[in-house]
Amino acid sequence: MSKDIIKIIKILFLFLFFVKFTIFLYITNFEKYYCSANSCRRIFIRDIIDDSNKLKEINILLLGDSRLNCAVNNNKIPKSYMFASGGASPIEMYYILEKFLKKHNKPDTVILSFSPRAIMYIMTFWDLQIKNDFFSYNDFQEINKISKKTDNHKTLLNYYLA
């Protein structure tokens, strides 16, 4: 009886390992088909920045986080485009703008909108940009270099709580 239970547990373990391994392969090799908002967002932004997804003439560029994304329907604003999305940080939007301007014409107006949380916490930087390979190695080195020049590594939230 106990040998049968051990055999069943081994078979179950192998089956679960196979399922998890298959899911891992699927996610890593078919990122456009994996239903993750982060993955789709990253692919979309990379396509726009790399100019593989052509944009029409843009006069207004909107950069920000979910508040801007939810509050503004840029389809109703002529010649506008929006990179705002949930969890975006000012650091990410700076690099999006920099990369965008290397391949596209300069817009007349750039609108920035971030919630105080995006400036006071670092949660979006590691969880979205770094983990999703948004930055190149050189971008990350530049961010590190600038960060090391500051005397204080506190966020604004620490000043409000002090």
Side-chain angles (χ1 to χ4, degrees):
M1 180 79 171
S2 65
K3 287 184 179 184
D4 291 338
I5 292 174
I6 291 172
K7 195 174 187 178
I8 290 171
I9 289 173
K10 285 181 180 179
I11 291 170
L12 185 61
F13 176 78
L14 287 172
F15 175 74
L16 290 175
F17 176 78
F18 175 75
V19 168
K20 285 194 168 244
F21 187 71
T22 304
I23 291 170
F24 169 76
L25 288 176
Y26 180 76
I27 290 170
T28 55
N29 294 307
F30 302 101
E31 61 180 2
K32 286 188 178 182
Y33 303 106
Y34 173 58
C35 194
S36 164
N38 273 348
S39 183
C40 295
R41 176 177 162 267
R42 180 173 49 91
I43 293 165
F44 170 73
I45 289 173
R46 185 178 60 215
D47 287 351
I48 295 296
I49 289 172
D50 293 343
D51 204 22
S52 57
N53 188 348
K54 300 285 184 193
L55 293 176
K56 298 175 186 170
E57 182 184 355
I58 298 172
N59 291 337
I60 300 172
L61 189 63
L62 299 116
L63 305 170
D65 60 9
S66 58
R67 291 181 186 206
L68 180 64
N69 192 28
C70 293
V72 175
N73 181 355
N74 72 299
N75 293 328
K76 294 185 178 185
I77 303 171
K79 297 182 181 177
S80 71
Y81 198 78
M82 182 183 306
F83 280 117
S85 61
S89 73
I91 295 170
E92 177 186 9
M93 289 298 140
Y94 168 80
Y95 280 93
I96 285 175
L97 180 60
E98 182 181 72
K99 291 173 182 177
F100 177 85
L101 291 175
K102 285 180 183 175
K103 302 242 177 160
H104 299 85
N105 293 332
K106 184 176 104 175
D108 297 333
T109 306
V110 175
I111 298 173
L112 297 172
S113 174
F114 294 97
S115 68
R117 182 181 145 169
I119 299 168
M120 295 186 326
Y121 294 106
I122 194 119
M123 83 296 181
T124 58
F125 182 69
W126 286 104
D127 292 343
L128 296 178
Q129 286 79 297
I130 300 301
K131 288 182 182 176
N132 287 325
D133 289 331
F134 180 80
F135 297 118
S136 70
Y137 179 76
N138 290 335
D139 293 339
F140 185 68
Q141 290 301 85
E142 181 183 0
I143 293 167
N144 254 347
K145 190 170 128 184
I146 293 168
S147 172
K148 287 179 183 178
K149 287 181 182 178
T150 63
D151 296 338
N152 187 330
H153 294 284
K154 293 181 178 180
T155 62
L156 292 177
L157 181 63
N158 294 24
Y159 290 108
Y160 290 120
L161 296 177

